[in-house]
Amino acid sequence: MIEHWTDLAACRSADPELFFPVSTAGPALDQVAEAKQVCASCPVASDCLAWALRAGESAGIWGGTTPDERRYLRLKPLPAAPAWH
Ligand code: SF4
């Protein structure tokens, strides 16, 4: 039974450290790209991104975005919360 969007997260079986690169530049770009590849196949990426934006999550890859990308997105109106939140 699905109780929360995280139940469907594509990263549930991935190494959590993959989603928290030490940087978003230089050698860490490969790690960022690998994490984003997992997010690209995630059925709840939009829920994840909406949560990260609402929570002001300042670290890690969430919904296929880096912290810098989320800072840019926060300049825009927030996406509406999905019905199951
Ligand atoms: S979008 Fe990425 S970080 Fe978010 S739940 Fe899916 S795989 Fe995990």
PDB file of all heavy atoms in Angstrom, residues 10-48:
ATOM      1  N   ALA A  10      12.491   6.493  -6.613  1.00  0.00           N
ATOM      2  CA  ALA A  10      13.464   5.677  -7.340  1.00  0.00           C
ATOM      3  C   ALA A  10      14.769   5.522  -6.562  1.00  0.00           C
ATOM      4  O   ALA A  10      15.533   4.593  -6.812  1.00  0.00           O
ATOM      5  CB  ALA A  10      13.740   6.290  -8.711  1.00  0.00           C
ATOM      6  N   CYS A  11      15.032   6.416  -5.634  1.00  0.00           N
ATOM      7  CA  CYS A  11      16.289   6.377  -4.892  1.00  0.00           C
ATOM      8  C   CYS A  11      16.212   5.491  -3.647  1.00  0.00           C
ATOM      9  O   CYS A  11      17.192   5.382  -2.916  1.00  0.00           O
ATOM     10  CB  CYS A  11      16.710   7.782  -4.490  1.00  0.00           C
ATOM     11  SG  CYS A  11      15.463   8.670  -3.537  1.00  0.00           S
ATOM     12  N   ARG A  12      15.090   4.851  -3.428  1.00  0.00           N
ATOM     13  CA  ARG A  12      14.952   4.029  -2.213  1.00  0.00           C
ATOM     14  C   ARG A  12      16.018   2.942  -2.128  1.00  0.00           C
ATOM     15  O   ARG A  12      16.425   2.565  -1.028  1.00  0.00           O
ATOM     16  CB  ARG A  12      13.565   3.398  -2.150  1.00  0.00           C
ATOM     17  CG  ARG A  12      12.484   4.368  -1.766  1.00  0.00           C
ATOM     18  CD  ARG A  12      11.123   3.724  -1.772  1.00  0.00           C
ATOM     19  NE  ARG A  12      10.980   2.665  -0.795  1.00  0.00           N
ATOM     20  CZ  ARG A  12      10.525   2.822   0.432  1.00  0.00           C
ATOM     21  NH1 ARG A  12      10.149   4.013   0.823  1.00  0.00           N
ATOM     22  NH2 ARG A  12      10.431   1.808   1.261  1.00  0.00           N
ATOM     23  N   SER A  13      16.459   2.443  -3.271  1.00  0.00           N
ATOM     24  CA  SER A  13      17.458   1.373  -3.248  1.00  0.00           C
ATOM     25  C   SER A  13      18.852   1.889  -3.626  1.00  0.00           C
ATOM     26  O   SER A  13      19.780   1.097  -3.773  1.00  0.00           O
ATOM     27  CB  SER A  13      17.039   0.253  -4.201  1.00  0.00           C
ATOM     28  OG  SER A  13      16.902   0.763  -5.510  1.00  0.00           O
ATOM     29  N   ALA A  14      18.995   3.202  -3.767  1.00  0.00           N
ATOM     30  CA  ALA A  14      20.293   3.778  -4.146  1.00  0.00           C
ATOM     31  C   ALA A  14      21.079   4.167  -2.891  1.00  0.00           C
ATOM     32  O   ALA A  14      20.512   4.301  -1.802  1.00  0.00           O
ATOM     33  CB  ALA A  14      20.076   5.008  -5.026  1.00  0.00           C
ATOM     34  N   ASP A  15      22.367   4.354  -3.073  1.00  0.00           N
ATOM     35  CA  ASP A  15      23.226   4.813  -1.979  1.00  0.00           C
ATOM     36  C   ASP A  15      22.854   6.260  -1.650  1.00  0.00           C
ATOM     37  O   ASP A  15      22.982   7.135  -2.509  1.00  0.00           O
ATOM     38  CB  ASP A  15      24.689   4.724  -2.424  1.00  0.00           C
ATOM     39  CG  ASP A  15      25.658   5.210  -1.359  1.00  0.00           C
ATOM     40  OD1 ASP A  15      25.213   5.702  -0.297  1.00  0.00           O
ATOM     41  OD2 ASP A  15      26.874   5.098  -1.603  1.00  0.00           O
ATOM     42  N   PRO A  16      22.405   6.543  -0.436  1.00  0.00           N
ATOM     43  CA  PRO A  16      22.009   7.924  -0.091  1.00  0.00           C
ATOM     44  C   PRO A  16      23.121   8.943  -0.327  1.00  0.00           C
ATOM     45  O   PRO A  16      22.845  10.097  -0.643  1.00  0.00           O
ATOM     46  CB  PRO A  16      21.649   7.835   1.392  1.00  0.00           C
ATOM     47  CG  PRO A  16      21.355   6.393   1.629  1.00  0.00           C
ATOM     48  CD  PRO A  16      22.213   5.624   0.662  1.00  0.00           C
ATOM     49  N   GLU A  17      24.370   8.522  -0.175  1.00  0.00           N
ATOM     50  CA  GLU A  17      25.480   9.464  -0.354  1.00  0.00           C
ATOM     51  C   GLU A  17      25.566   9.974  -1.787  1.00  0.00           C
ATOM     52  O   GLU A  17      26.098  11.062  -2.020  1.00  0.00           O
ATOM     53  CB  GLU A  17      26.795   8.812   0.054  1.00  0.00           C
ATOM     54  CG  GLU A  17      26.898   8.616   1.563  1.00  0.00           C
ATOM     55  CD  GLU A  17      28.296   8.216   1.999  1.00  0.00           C
ATOM     56  OE1 GLU A  17      29.243   8.430   1.232  1.00  0.00           O
ATOM     57  OE2 GLU A  17      28.413   7.692   3.115  1.00  0.00           O
ATOM     58  N   LEU A  18      25.024   9.203  -2.732  1.00  0.00           N
ATOM     59  CA  LEU A  18      25.028   9.643  -4.128  1.00  0.00           C
ATOM     60  C   LEU A  18      24.317  10.986  -4.268  1.00  0.00           C
ATOM     61  O   LEU A  18      24.690  11.814  -5.086  1.00  0.00           O
ATOM     62  CB  LEU A  18      24.336   8.580  -5.000  1.00  0.00           C
ATOM     63  CG  LEU A  18      24.163   8.928  -6.475  1.00  0.00           C
ATOM     64  CD1 LEU A  18      25.524   9.042  -7.163  1.00  0.00           C
ATOM     65  CD2 LEU A  18      23.306   7.875  -7.164  1.00  0.00           C
ATOM     66  N   PHE A  19      23.305  11.211  -3.447  1.00  0.00           N
ATOM     67  CA  PHE A  19      22.464  12.404  -3.567  1.00  0.00           C
ATOM     68  C   PHE A  19      22.977  13.591  -2.755  1.00  0.00           C
ATOM     69  O   PHE A  19      22.345  14.640  -2.736  1.00  0.00           O
ATOM     70  CB  PHE A  19      21.017  12.056  -3.176  1.00  0.00           C
ATOM     71  CG  PHE A  19      20.425  11.077  -4.155  1.00  0.00           C
ATOM     72  CD1 PHE A  19      20.644   9.723  -4.022  1.00  0.00           C
ATOM     73  CD2 PHE A  19      19.707  11.529  -5.252  1.00  0.00           C
ATOM     74  CE1 PHE A  19      20.146   8.816  -4.949  1.00  0.00           C
ATOM     75  CE2 PHE A  19      19.209  10.639  -6.184  1.00  0.00           C
ATOM     76  CZ  PHE A  19      19.433   9.280  -6.037  1.00  0.00           C
ATOM     77  N   PHE A  20      24.121  13.390  -2.104  1.00  0.00           N
ATOM     78  CA  PHE A  20      24.717  14.483  -1.324  1.00  0.00           C
ATOM     79  C   PHE A  20      26.187  14.651  -1.705  1.00  0.00           C
ATOM     80  O   PHE A  20      27.082  14.381  -0.901  1.00  0.00           O
ATOM     81  CB  PHE A  20      24.534  14.234   0.177  1.00  0.00           C
ATOM     82  CG  PHE A  20      23.100  14.371   0.594  1.00  0.00           C
ATOM     83  CD1 PHE A  20      22.271  13.261   0.610  1.00  0.00           C
ATOM     84  CD2 PHE A  20      22.574  15.601   0.918  1.00  0.00           C
ATOM     85  CE1 PHE A  20      20.937  13.381   0.955  1.00  0.00           C
ATOM     86  CE2 PHE A  20      21.243  15.744   1.269  1.00  0.00           C
ATOM     87  CZ  PHE A  20      20.425  14.630   1.287  1.00  0.00           C
ATOM     88  N   PRO A  21      26.437  15.102  -2.944  1.00  0.00           N
ATOM     89  CA  PRO A  21      27.826  15.317  -3.369  1.00  0.00           C
ATOM     90  C   PRO A  21      28.463  16.433  -2.548  1.00  0.00           C
ATOM     91  O   PRO A  21      27.768  17.330  -2.052  1.00  0.00           O
ATOM     92  CB  PRO A  21      27.676  15.725  -4.842  1.00  0.00           C
ATOM     93  CG  PRO A  21      26.294  16.248  -4.970  1.00  0.00           C
ATOM     94  CD  PRO A  21      25.460  15.486  -3.967  1.00  0.00           C
ATOM     95  N   VAL A  22      29.769  16.366  -2.406  1.00  0.00           N
ATOM     96  CA  VAL A  22      30.475  17.375  -1.612  1.00  0.00           C
ATOM     97  C   VAL A  22      30.461  18.740  -2.288  1.00  0.00           C
ATOM     98  O   VAL A  22      30.700  19.755  -1.655  1.00  0.00           O
ATOM     99  CB  VAL A  22      31.934  16.964  -1.318  1.00  0.00           C
ATOM    100  CG1 VAL A  22      31.962  15.726  -0.433  1.00  0.00           C
ATOM    101  CG2 VAL A  22      32.693  16.707  -2.613  1.00  0.00           C
ATOM    102  N   SER A  23      30.158  18.743  -3.577  1.00  0.00           N
ATOM    103  CA  SER A  23      30.164  19.976  -4.348  1.00  0.00           C
ATOM    104  C   SER A  23      29.268  19.774  -5.562  1.00  0.00           C
ATOM    105  O   SER A  23      28.828  18.663  -5.847  1.00  0.00           O
ATOM    106  CB  SER A  23      31.602  20.272  -4.775  1.00  0.00           C
ATOM    107  OG  SER A  23      31.642  21.172  -5.842  1.00  0.00           O
ATOM    108  N   THR A  24      28.981  20.841  -6.255  1.00  0.00           N
ATOM    109  CA  THR A  24      28.267  20.712  -7.530  1.00  0.00           C
ATOM    110  C   THR A  24      29.170  21.238  -8.648  1.00  0.00           C
ATOM    111  O   THR A  24      28.703  21.767  -9.651  1.00  0.00           O
ATOM    112  CB  THR A  24      26.929  21.472  -7.517  1.00  0.00           C
ATOM    113  OG1 THR A  24      27.163  22.824  -7.144  1.00  0.00           O
ATOM    114  CG2 THR A  24      25.949  20.816  -6.550  1.00  0.00           C
ATOM    115  N   ALA A  25      30.465  21.103  -8.451  1.00  0.00           N
ATOM    116  CA  ALA A  25      31.438  21.544  -9.453  1.00  0.00           C
ATOM    117  C   ALA A  25      32.589  20.549  -9.484  1.00  0.00           C
ATOM    118  O   ALA A  25      32.710  19.682  -8.613  1.00  0.00           O
ATOM    119  CB  ALA A  25      31.953  22.943  -9.097  1.00  0.00           C
ATOM    120  N   GLY A  26      33.426  20.666 -10.491  1.00  0.00           N
ATOM    121  CA  GLY A  26      34.612  19.835 -10.603  1.00  0.00           C
ATOM    122  C   GLY A  26      34.283  18.355 -10.668  1.00  0.00           C
ATOM    123  O   GLY A  26      33.310  17.955 -11.305  1.00  0.00           O
ATOM    124  N   PRO A  27      35.095  17.518  -9.984  1.00  0.00           N
ATOM    125  CA  PRO A  27      34.899  16.069 -10.042  1.00  0.00           C
ATOM    126  C   PRO A  27      33.528  15.621  -9.535  1.00  0.00           C
ATOM    127  O   PRO A  27      33.032  14.577  -9.922  1.00  0.00           O
ATOM    128  CB  PRO A  27      36.008  15.527  -9.123  1.00  0.00           C
ATOM    129  CG  PRO A  27      37.010  16.617  -9.035  1.00  0.00           C
ATOM    130  CD  PRO A  27      36.261  17.901  -9.207  1.00  0.00           C
ATOM    131  N   ALA A  28      32.913  16.393  -8.675  1.00  0.00           N
ATOM    132  CA  ALA A  28      31.604  16.027  -8.132  1.00  0.00           C
ATOM    133  C   ALA A  28      30.497  16.091  -9.183  1.00  0.00           C
ATOM    134  O   ALA A  28      29.407  15.571  -8.963  1.00  0.00           O
ATOM    135  CB  ALA A  28      31.252  16.946  -6.951  1.00  0.00           C
ATOM    136  N   LEU A  29      30.791  16.708 -10.322  1.00  0.00           N
ATOM    137  CA  LEU A  29      29.775  16.806 -11.379  1.00  0.00           C
ATOM    138  C   LEU A  29      29.342  15.426 -11.866  1.00  0.00           C
ATOM    139  O   LEU A  29      28.181  15.235 -12.232  1.00  0.00           O
ATOM    140  CB  LEU A  29      30.286  17.643 -12.551  1.00  0.00           C
ATOM    141  CG  LEU A  29      30.260  19.149 -12.324  1.00  0.00           C
ATOM    142  CD1 LEU A  29      30.894  19.867 -13.517  1.00  0.00           C
ATOM    143  CD2 LEU A  29      28.835  19.633 -12.102  1.00  0.00           C
ATOM    144  N   ASP A  30      30.256  14.453 -11.864  1.00  0.00           N
ATOM    145  CA  ASP A  30      29.884  13.092 -12.269  1.00  0.00           C
ATOM    146  C   ASP A  30      28.862  12.512 -11.293  1.00  0.00           C
ATOM    147  O   ASP A  30      27.907  11.843 -11.690  1.00  0.00           O
ATOM    148  CB  ASP A  30      31.109  12.182 -12.336  1.00  0.00           C
ATOM    149  CG  ASP A  30      31.982  12.481 -13.544  1.00  0.00           C
ATOM    150  OD1 ASP A  30      31.512  13.171 -14.471  1.00  0.00           O
ATOM    151  OD2 ASP A  30      33.145  12.025 -13.557  1.00  0.00           O
ATOM    152  N   GLN A  31      29.071  12.771 -10.010  1.00  0.00           N
ATOM    153  CA  GLN A  31      28.141  12.276  -8.995  1.00  0.00           C
ATOM    154  C   GLN A  31      26.787  12.959  -9.145  1.00  0.00           C
ATOM    155  O   GLN A  31      25.742  12.327  -9.042  1.00  0.00           O
ATOM    156  CB  GLN A  31      28.715  12.514  -7.597  1.00  0.00           C
ATOM    157  CG  GLN A  31      27.846  11.917  -6.503  1.00  0.00           C
ATOM    158  CD  GLN A  31      28.440  12.121  -5.117  1.00  0.00           C
ATOM    159  OE1 GLN A  31      29.606  12.485  -4.977  1.00  0.00           O
ATOM    160  NE2 GLN A  31      27.628  11.901  -4.103  1.00  0.00           N
ATOM    161  N   VAL A  32      26.803  14.263  -9.388  1.00  0.00           N
ATOM    162  CA  VAL A  32      25.556  15.001  -9.597  1.00  0.00           C
ATOM    163  C   VAL A  32      24.798  14.423 -10.791  1.00  0.00           C
ATOM    164  O   VAL A  32      23.584  14.188 -10.727  1.00  0.00           O
ATOM    165  CB  VAL A  32      25.838  16.507  -9.801  1.00  0.00           C
ATOM    166  CG1 VAL A  32      24.578  17.238 -10.257  1.00  0.00           C
ATOM    167  CG2 VAL A  32      26.391  17.127  -8.532  1.00  0.00           C
ATOM    168  N   ALA A  33      25.532  14.168 -11.869  1.00  0.00           N
ATOM    169  CA  ALA A  33      24.897  13.622 -13.077  1.00  0.00           C
ATOM    170  C   ALA A  33      24.301  12.251 -12.816  1.00  0.00           C
ATOM    171  O   ALA A  33      23.201  11.935 -13.297  1.00  0.00           O
ATOM    172  CB  ALA A  33      25.914  13.557 -14.211  1.00  0.00           C
ATOM    173  N   GLU A  34      25.013  11.434 -12.035  1.00  0.00           N
ATOM    174  CA  GLU A  34      24.503  10.092 -11.728  1.00  0.00           C
ATOM    175  C   GLU A  34      23.242  10.174 -10.876  1.00  0.00           C
ATOM    176  O   GLU A  34      22.264   9.457 -11.109  1.00  0.00           O
ATOM    177  CB  GLU A  34      25.589   9.286 -11.005  1.00  0.00           C
ATOM    178  CG  GLU A  34      25.250   7.826 -10.880  1.00  0.00           C
ATOM    179  CD  GLU A  34      26.371   7.010 -10.224  1.00  0.00           C
ATOM    180  OE1 GLU A  34      27.523   7.479 -10.173  1.00  0.00           O
ATOM    181  OE2 GLU A  34      26.061   5.909  -9.759  1.00  0.00           O
ATOM    182  N   ALA A  35      23.240  11.056  -9.909  1.00  0.00           N
ATOM    183  CA  ALA A  35      22.046  11.227  -9.074  1.00  0.00           C
ATOM    184  C   ALA A  35      20.879  11.741  -9.912  1.00  0.00           C
ATOM    185  O   ALA A  35      19.741  11.257  -9.794  1.00  0.00           O
ATOM    186  CB  ALA A  35      22.342  12.197  -7.928  1.00  0.00           C
ATOM    187  N   LYS A  36      21.167  12.702 -10.766  1.00  0.00           N
ATOM    188  CA  LYS A  36      20.105  13.254 -11.618  1.00  0.00           C
ATOM    189  C   LYS A  36      19.545  12.198 -12.561  1.00  0.00           C
ATOM    190  O   LYS A  36      18.360  12.243 -12.906  1.00  0.00           O
ATOM    191  CB  LYS A  36      20.623  14.444 -12.425  1.00  0.00           C
ATOM    192  CG  LYS A  36      20.773  15.707 -11.608  1.00  0.00           C
ATOM    193  CD  LYS A  36      21.159  16.871 -12.506  1.00  0.00           C
ATOM    194  CE  LYS A  36      21.024  18.193 -11.798  1.00  0.00           C
ATOM    195  NZ  LYS A  36      21.103  19.330 -12.729  1.00  0.00           N
ATOM    196  N   GLN A  37      20.373  11.246 -12.964  1.00  0.00           N
ATOM    197  CA  GLN A  37      19.910  10.170 -13.834  1.00  0.00           C
ATOM    198  C   GLN A  37      18.887   9.301 -13.090  1.00  0.00           C
ATOM    199  O   GLN A  37      17.899   8.873 -13.671  1.00  0.00           O
ATOM    200  CB  GLN A  37      21.101   9.329 -14.286  1.00  0.00           C
ATOM    201  CG  GLN A  37      20.803   8.434 -15.458  1.00  0.00           C
ATOM    202  CD  GLN A  37      22.066   7.835 -16.051  1.00  0.00           C
ATOM    203  OE1 GLN A  37      23.121   7.841 -15.429  1.00  0.00           O
ATOM    204  NE2 GLN A  37      21.957   7.326 -17.246  1.00  0.00           N
ATOM    205  N   VAL A  38      19.134   9.049 -11.818  1.00  0.00           N
ATOM    206  CA  VAL A  38      18.154   8.296 -11.015  1.00  0.00           C
ATOM    207  C   VAL A  38      16.859   9.102 -10.919  1.00  0.00           C
ATOM    208  O   VAL A  38      15.760   8.573 -11.128  1.00  0.00           O
ATOM    209  CB  VAL A  38      18.705   7.982  -9.613  1.00  0.00           C
ATOM    210  CG1 VAL A  38      17.654   7.294  -8.763  1.00  0.00           C
ATOM    211  CG2 VAL A  38      19.958   7.121  -9.712  1.00  0.00           C
ATOM    212  N   CYS A  39      16.987  10.382 -10.639  1.00  0.00           N
ATOM    213  CA  CYS A  39      15.801  11.247 -10.509  1.00  0.00           C
ATOM    214  C   CYS A  39      15.009  11.291 -11.827  1.00  0.00           C
ATOM    215  O   CYS A  39      13.774  11.376 -11.790  1.00  0.00           O
ATOM    216  CB  CYS A  39      16.206  12.662 -10.117  1.00  0.00           C
ATOM    217  SG  CYS A  39      16.960  12.802  -8.481  1.00  0.00           S
ATOM    218  N   ALA A  40      15.700  11.220 -12.954  1.00  0.00           N
ATOM    219  CA  ALA A  40      15.018  11.310 -14.245  1.00  0.00           C
ATOM    220  C   ALA A  40      14.058  10.147 -14.465  1.00  0.00           C
ATOM    221  O   ALA A  40      13.102  10.272 -15.224  1.00  0.00           O
ATOM    222  CB  ALA A  40      16.043  11.372 -15.370  1.00  0.00           C
ATOM    223  N   SER A  41      14.304   9.033 -13.786  1.00  0.00           N
ATOM    224  CA  SER A  41      13.416   7.881 -13.936  1.00  0.00           C
ATOM    225  C   SER A  41      12.453   7.747 -12.762  1.00  0.00           C
ATOM    226  O   SER A  41      11.735   6.755 -12.653  1.00  0.00           O
ATOM    227  CB  SER A  41      14.247   6.592 -14.043  1.00  0.00           C
ATOM    228  OG  SER A  41      14.899   6.325 -12.810  1.00  0.00           O
ATOM    229  N   CYS A  42      12.445   8.728 -11.902  1.00  0.00           N
ATOM    230  CA  CYS A  42      11.645   8.640 -10.677  1.00  0.00           C
ATOM    231  C   CYS A  42      10.197   9.081 -10.925  1.00  0.00           C
ATOM    232  O   CYS A  42       9.966  10.191 -11.407  1.00  0.00           O
ATOM    233  CB  CYS A  42      12.277   9.514  -9.597  1.00  0.00           C
ATOM    234  SG  CYS A  42      11.378   9.456  -8.040  1.00  0.00           S
ATOM    235  N   PRO A  43       9.227   8.242 -10.564  1.00  0.00           N
ATOM    236  CA  PRO A  43       7.823   8.598 -10.802  1.00  0.00           C
ATOM    237  C   PRO A  43       7.296   9.702  -9.882  1.00  0.00           C
ATOM    238  O   PRO A  43       6.202  10.219 -10.116  1.00  0.00           O
ATOM    239  CB  PRO A  43       7.082   7.275 -10.570  1.00  0.00           C
ATOM    240  CG  PRO A  43       7.942   6.519  -9.625  1.00  0.00           C
ATOM    241  CD  PRO A  43       9.367   6.912  -9.960  1.00  0.00           C
ATOM    242  N   VAL A  44       8.043  10.024  -8.833  1.00  0.00           N
ATOM    243  CA  VAL A  44       7.572  11.053  -7.908  1.00  0.00           C
ATOM    244  C   VAL A  44       8.525  12.254  -7.864  1.00  0.00           C
ATOM    245  O   VAL A  44       8.575  12.972  -6.870  1.00  0.00           O
ATOM    246  CB  VAL A  44       7.347  10.475  -6.491  1.00  0.00           C
ATOM    247  CG1 VAL A  44       6.156   9.533  -6.479  1.00  0.00           C
ATOM    248  CG2 VAL A  44       8.604   9.773  -5.979  1.00  0.00           C
ATOM    249  N   ALA A  45       9.244  12.475  -8.949  1.00  0.00           N
ATOM    250  CA  ALA A  45      10.218  13.573  -8.974  1.00  0.00           C
ATOM    251  C   ALA A  45       9.550  14.931  -8.732  1.00  0.00           C
ATOM    252  O   ALA A  45      10.115  15.781  -8.040  1.00  0.00           O
ATOM    253  CB  ALA A  45      10.979  13.574 -10.293  1.00  0.00           C
ATOM    254  N   SER A  46       8.363  15.127  -9.280  1.00  0.00           N
ATOM    255  CA  SER A  46       7.711  16.431  -9.079  1.00  0.00           C
ATOM    256  C   SER A  46       7.292  16.611  -7.622  1.00  0.00           C
ATOM    257  O   SER A  46       7.370  17.717  -7.077  1.00  0.00           O
ATOM    258  CB  SER A  46       6.515  16.596 -10.021  1.00  0.00           C
ATOM    259  OG  SER A  46       5.554  15.607  -9.774  1.00  0.00           O
ATOM    260  N   ASP A  47       6.851  15.538  -6.980  1.00  0.00           N
ATOM    261  CA  ASP A  47       6.500  15.615  -5.546  1.00  0.00           C
ATOM    262  C   ASP A  47       7.748  15.916  -4.722  1.00  0.00           C
ATOM    263  O   ASP A  47       7.715  16.712  -3.789  1.00  0.00           O
ATOM    264  CB  ASP A  47       5.898  14.294  -5.071  1.00  0.00           C
ATOM    265  CG  ASP A  47       4.646  13.929  -5.831  1.00  0.00           C
ATOM    266  OD1 ASP A  47       3.607  14.551  -5.595  1.00  0.00           O
ATOM    267  OD2 ASP A  47       4.727  13.025  -6.677  1.00  0.00           O
ATOM    268  N   CYS A  48       8.846  15.256  -5.090  1.00  0.00           N
ATOM    269  CA  CYS A  48      10.113  15.437  -4.382  1.00  0.00           C
ATOM    270  C   CYS A  48      10.596  16.878  -4.516  1.00  0.00           C
ATOM    271  O   CYS A  48      10.981  17.506  -3.526  1.00  0.00           O
ATOM    272  CB  CYS A  48      11.135  14.466  -4.949  1.00  0.00           C
ATOM    273  SG  CYS A  48      12.761  14.576  -4.222  1.00  0.00           S
TER     274      CYS A  48
END
